[in-house]
Amino acid sequence: QLFCDHRADDIVQMLLRDLGYYRGTTNGTVGPQTRTAIREFQGVTAESDAGEVSEALFEALKKKCAGSP
């Protein structure tokens, strides 16, 4: 499953970067910058603001990226 390893973290960081929420290094480590970016994204999308990588977050990011110009 995707959310069992660092690849999910890398992908989430890349999607957050594409949407302008994350400006850190894409390194597969969910640190303070990644959690802040997740919370900012979740605040805008009215999702849970847990600040953690999850399948729901991944799906929301994919959906938002697909709708982005």
Side-chain angles (χ1 to χ4, degrees), residues 4-69:
C4 294
D5 58 36
H6 291 289
R7 289 179 299 177
D9 298 339
D10 283 334
I11 294 167
V12 166
Q13 286 173 331
M14 286 186 272
L15 292 170
L16 287 166
R17 175 177 285 142
D18 288 349
L19 292 168
Y21 292 97
Y22 181 67
R23 290 167 283 293
T25 303
T26 304
N27 57 12
T29 301
V30 178
Q33 283 185 303
T34 305
R35 285 191 182 88
T36 297
I38 292 170
R39 281 191 289 273
E40 287 175 9
F41 173 77
Q42 290 171 326
V44 170
T45 60
E47 305 255 344
S48 165
D49 64 354
E52 299 295 327
V53 174
S54 68
E55 191 165 351
L57 171 68
F58 179 68
E59 292 301 322
L61 285 166
K62 284 194 320 185
K63 183 176 178 181
K64 183 72 172 175
C65 281
S68 293

